Amino acid sequence: MNPFPRAVIGSLLLAVPVGAEAVLDEPFDNLAGDVLFVITQLLGWALLLTVARRVRRLSTWGARLLVAGCAFQLVFSLAYVVSLLSEGEVADWAFLPFLLGFVCLAVGSGVTVRSSRRVREARLATRGAALVGGLGLAAVVVGTDPWHDIALIGSYLSWQLLAADRHLHSSPSRVHRHSPLLAHRDGGDRVRP
């Protein structure tokens, strides 16, 4: 199944609430806004997790780290709502999975870029992975608005670029076994030209 529609829907589910909160602060500063945020986070990251799994065609370890990053973001969503309901506000500890998730996404993106940089056909995925990781890390490092929000939205939307690469679309059974994109399955993690 083509991962691009899932990347579009997932990234928009994540980006639109961040952008709307940056522009319209008041409507999201209540329980209904927090519930909407958690729902969009859970749905968006669940969809992007399925896209991250497809990256294994380029890099086994890169995909594992991207999946771990998405999983940490799902844990962040749950920690967010648990701390909100138990303490009346979002606790600082709830943001630890958020931080760990973006670190995993940055490292996983770096591994993916390094593994697939020599394969011309995977340039779109390579650029998308670089933007997902780089902008995600920038969002964690730069905590002040509007730069934090801009980096987050950019990282979320970059999943679309990653998923648009045609090498993530076909099933492994339809790709030639000795393809350079599947070289990592023969024991190594590097994609060979």
Side-chain angles (χ1 to χ4, degrees):
M1 181 176 184
N2 186 335
F4 185 69
R6 289 176 280 161
V8 170
I9 294 168
S11 66
L12 289 176
L13 281 169
L14 297 173
V16 169
V18 173
E21 184 180 24
V23 175
L24 309 167
D25 189 38
E26 192 64 34
F28 293 95
D29 200 17
N30 55 39
L31 183 59
D34 286 329
V35 169
L36 178 66
F37 173 75
V38 169
I39 290 170
T40 58
Q41 287 285 303
L42 288 170
L43 292 174
W45 284 112
L47 286 168
L48 293 182
L49 188 138
T50 65
V51 174
R53 291 182 63 219
R54 301 294 286 249
V55 174
R56 72 182 178 274
R57 294 158 194 254
L58 300 175
S59 171
T60 303
W61 282 103
R64 288 176 183 165
L65 288 164
L66 289 172
V67 167
C70 293
F72 272 121
Q73 296 302 333
L74 289 168
V75 170
F76 161 67
S77 302
L78 297 174
Y80 186 98
V81 75
V82 166
S83 70
L84 180 66
L85 294 175
S86 65
E87 299 177 23
E89 62 182 27
V90 181
D92 290 340
W93 60 265
F95 288 91
L96 182 61
F98 177 82
L99 171 68
L100 293 173
F102 274 106
V103 168
C104 285
L105 290 171
V107 174
S109 294
V111 170
T112 301
V113 167
R114 180 156 169 73
S115 296
S116 61
R117 70 174 188 243
R118 293 185 185 147
V119 180
R120 285 184 185 210
E121 298 85 20
R123 284 192 178 157
L124 197 57
T126 302
R127 290 179 180 139
L131 288 169
V132 166
L135 291 171
L137 192 58
V140 170
V141 172
V142 179
T144 58
D145 288 332
W147 306 114
H148 170 75
D149 293 337
I150 291 169
L152 270 180
I153 292 169
S155 178
Y156 296 155
L157 296 178
S158 296
W159 281 92
Q160 295 177 29
L161 186 62
L162 172 67
D165 195 294
R166 64 184 176 88
H167 290 95
L168 301 183
H169 296 197
S170 60
S171 67
S173 62
R174 288 191 281 172
V175 177
H176 190 268
R177 180 72 181 138
H178 299 290
S179 165
L181 293 173
L182 295 177
H184 67 277
R185 292 197 179 172
D186 295 329
D189 190 45
R190 289 204 176 157
V191 175
R192 293 167 185 86

